[in-house]
Amino acid sequence: MFNTGSQDFQKSNPSRDYLSLRTLKYVLCWLLLWQDGMVGGSAFQILENLPIGIPGLSPVPFFTLLLAFVVVLERTLTRDFTLKRSDFGAPLLLMLLAFFISWCRGSLINQRVTIIYEIQDAFSWPFEYFVILNAFRDPEEGEVLWKILILAVLPKAVEGMYIYFFSSDDHKNWGVVQDWRDGFLLGIGAISTMLFLHYRGTALLKVRKLVLLGIPFLGFTFIMSYRRTFMLGALVSALAMFVTLPRVLWRRQVGLIFGFLLILVFFGAVTNPLGVLARLSGVVDPQHEGSAYIRLMEYPNVFRNIIDNPIWGTPVGTEWKVYYRMPASSVYTTLGTHNAYLYWPLRGGILGTVAFFWLFFRLWKSALINNALGKSKEDFFFGQFGIHLLILYQFACFFGLLYGGNITALLAVMFTAIKLTAKKVSGCDSYRSVDMVKTLRSRQLVLKEYNTGNVAAKLAAMLAT
């Protein structure tokens, strides 16, 4: 019989947890964060090397379905069928509604009902989050999810090095890892390394040691992934630490930034300096680097499609119209755009755009308050970590497809970790009634003031007249 674990996370028996459903959930969550990739020949991919899985189902949704099955089994054994609610649920449901309407419009235009490409993009956000949120409900599990997220970086970094030396797939010439989720993981690795070098607590020393031991693998895979967006994003996050970290840590942060740059230069020099320079040149001179230039050419077309469909967006299931000629040999998509901020008005119209910005307003509010209310060194570490993951994501949204594919599961884990951290540091299930500005200033939980007396007086005056 499995040990399903008690609600009192801290009183559970560690020796029995290895055989528990809870541990199985952690393993499945860890796997869905880094399994799958766009370059073949990896010995680390379970479904690629073992005869398991469901035909036509990629690793991330496969492990997500397994996790959902384990959650149902756990709930059946405990007879607890309650569903967790969240501050992020309303904007995600609005997002789902926007894309359902867009899909209906697309079905009418195409005169057929079919499974669309976007089913693994915007449509999957609410469902992925629903599974992860209800799989991990104890506030103490927020810290576990942060650790799982950090520890998912190491196998991806090692896998990148393995692909470089042993894979025969020609696609590796465009980067040993190419998925947007994988680039985000490498950026997470850079951020967590910097924060761990500031960390002076004891509870996270084992995780810190693993992260520091993984620096050579991370540096090698990061530079050979050619993921320019996340290299710049990690640098932007490092610079933002001068704002979020205490002033006493600024001198050390200067050294960490130079160290980050030196590691990238070193691995670029000893691997493929000409290839690295050719790819990175697109950052400052996009017109002479094909991939960056094609993305610039997408924007006029995307803007024109948004202008022509401002309310409901261009229906999902249909390709956006090419108003300005794109080279026939170029690699671009007419089902999305390499700018996540433009994707929501392009496909979801006004409702999709409102949902996206509403969601991230609530995420930022939660992350900032979590950081302000933290008491321990570990609370401070994870508070900073949540803020800088949002910085990395929002920066990357300017240049990539940060709305679909495997990244949806990673975001679901990140959202849930932020939610559970909020419950742990504040005791609140929701920050909707919290005054964010006053809370950040005082570093104490301050609720919004509702002047019920004035409301009652006005109501009485209206009734009297």
Side-chain angles (χ1 to χ4, degrees):
M1 179 68 69
F2 284 106
N3 168 27
T4 60
S6 65
Q7 288 298 311
D8 189 354
F9 183 88
Q10 292 178 326
K11 293 181 181 179
S12 63
N13 187 336
S15 63
R16 296 177 64 192
D17 272 355
Y18 289 105
L19 299 177
S20 69
L21 289 177
R22 173 183 288 154
T23 302
L24 181 56
K25 288 190 299 181
Y26 294 157
V27 172
L28 290 173
C29 181
W30 179 70
L31 288 173
L32 68 85
L33 283 173
W34 67 272
Q35 283 287 294
D36 204 0
M38 297 176 67
V39 182
S42 170
F44 292 79
Q45 293 301 318
I46 296 175
L47 300 192
E48 185 178 333
N49 295 284
L50 296 178
I52 60 175
I54 301 174
L57 198 65
S58 61
V60 173
F62 173 73
F63 287 114
T64 303
L65 287 176
L66 279 182
L67 178 60
F69 173 77
V70 172
V71 172
V72 171
L73 177 60
E74 180 187 49
R75 298 297 186 87
T76 303
L77 293 174
T78 60
R79 300 182 183 276
D80 179 5
F81 298 101
T82 58
L83 298 178
K84 189 78 173 178
R85 299 181 63 183
S86 167
D87 286 359
F88 315 139
L92 284 169
L93 287 175
L94 180 61
M95 187 180 293
L96 183 62
L97 174 63
F99 278 83
F100 177 75
I101 293 172
S102 189
W103 171 72
C104 290
R105 294 178 62 237
S107 299
L108 288 173
I109 292 173
N110 293 327
Q111 289 295 293
R112 61 178 179 177
V113 177
T114 182
I115 296 176
I116 54 175
Y117 176 80
E118 286 86 349
I119 200 71
Q120 63 178 333
D121 292 342
F123 270 107
S124 66
W125 278 42
F127 297 109
E128 294 274 7
Y129 180 61
F130 178 79
V131 171
I132 301 297
L133 179 67
N134 284 281
F136 308 102
R137 300 188 296 171
D138 194 297
E140 297 294 335
E141 289 184 301
E143 182 172 320
V144 178
L145 288 183
W146 288 129
K147 292 177 182 177
I148 290 173
L149 194 55
I150 293 170
L151 294 177
V153 176
L154 185 57
K156 183 55 65 176
V158 175
E159 181 184 41
M161 184 175 285
Y162 179 92
I163 288 172
Y164 180 83
F165 287 108
F166 301 108
S167 174
S168 59
D169 191 340
D170 290 338
H171 289 96
K172 71 179 184 180
N173 294 325
W174 288 93
V176 292
V177 296
Q178 299 175 21
D179 193 272
W180 292 99
R181 185 275 317 270
D182 297 343
F184 196 78
L185 276 176
L186 297 176
I188 289 174
I191 291 171
S192 61
T193 300
M194 292 183 198
L195 289 176
F196 268 125
L197 289 171
H198 288 298
Y199 174 71
R200 291 296 179 265
T202 57
L204 301 177
L205 285 180
K206 290 183 179 179
V207 180
R208 181 180 186 270
K209 184 176 181 179
L210 285 173
V211 169
L212 297 183
L213 288 174
I215 288 177
F217 301 99
L218 176 64
F220 181 94
T221 299
F222 211 163
I223 197 69
M224 293 312 300
S225 70
Y226 301 144
R227 299 301 91 189
R228 299 165 297 189
T229 294
F230 297 100
M231 292 179 198
L232 285 175
L235 180 59
V236 168
S237 173
L239 293 173
M241 288 182 189
F242 288 112
V243 177
T244 65
L245 292 176
R247 194 182 186 93
V248 68
L249 299 177
W250 286 7
R251 179 177 296 180
R252 186 183 302 158
Q253 183 61 21
V254 171
L256 293 181
I257 291 175
F258 278 109
F260 171 70
L261 294 175
L262 284 174
I263 288 174
L264 295 182
V265 170
F266 171 77
F267 283 108
V270 299
T271 51
N272 185 7
L274 293 179
V276 172
L277 284 174
R279 289 285 287 172
L280 294 183
S281 66
V283 174
V284 294
D285 190 14
Q287 291 184 345
H288 293 90
E289 200 281 321
S291 179
Y293 184 53
I294 294 305
R295 296 179 190 183
L296 289 178
M297 295 178 68
E298 279 183 5
Y299 292 157
N301 284 299
V302 171
F303 279 122
R304 181 70 183 273
N305 278 270
I306 293 172
I307 291 171
D308 287 353
N309 302 275
I311 298 177
W312 302 110
T314 303
V316 296
T318 67
E319 297 184 3
W320 48 257
K321 186 175 180 180
V322 179
Y323 291 96
Y324 309 103
R325 187 180 66 85
M326 300 285 290
S329 61
S330 64
V331 179
Y332 66 96
T333 173
T334 53
L335 293 174
T337 174
H338 288 83
N339 186 312
Y341 296 109
L342 297 180
Y343 178 77
W344 304 100
L346 173 69
R347 289 301 192 184
I350 294 174
L351 291 180
T353 305
V354 169
F356 177 76
F357 285 100
W358 183 15
L359 171 65
F360 276 87
F361 169 78
R362 287 196 167 180
L363 284 165
W364 270 107
K365 181 177 181 180
S366 295
L368 291 172
I369 293 176
N370 289 348
N371 182 65
L373 297 181
K375 302 289 192 300
S376 66
K377 290 183 173 64
E378 290 69 40
D379 290 341
F380 175 76
F381 176 89
F382 291 119
Q384 290 288 313
F385 190 53
I387 289 173
H388 287 279
L389 259 59
L390 287 176
I391 291 174
L392 177 65
Y393 179 82
Q394 302 246 237
F395 175 84
C397 280
F398 284 107
F399 308 103
L401 286 71
L402 273 292
Y403 48 79
N406 293 328
I407 203 166
T408 57
L410 188 153
L411 292 176
V413 173
M414 187 174 84
F415 296 171
T416 304
I418 291 174
K419 168 67 178 174
L420 293 177
T421 301
K423 177 67 175 177
K424 179 179 181 293
V425 300
S426 70
C428 294
D429 286 316
S430 171
Y431 282 155
R432 278 175 286 184
S433 60
V434 174
D435 189 313
M436 182 174 69
V437 175
K438 292 183 179 179
T439 297
L440 295 180
R441 286 176 177 173
S442 65
R443 293 190 171 272
Q444 294 181 344
L445 198 65
V446 179
L447 300 180
K448 294 178 181 177
E449 296 180 2
Y450 297 98
N451 195 335
T452 55
N454 288 343
V455 174
K458 291 179 180 179
L459 182 61
M462 290 174 62
L463 292 174
T465 57

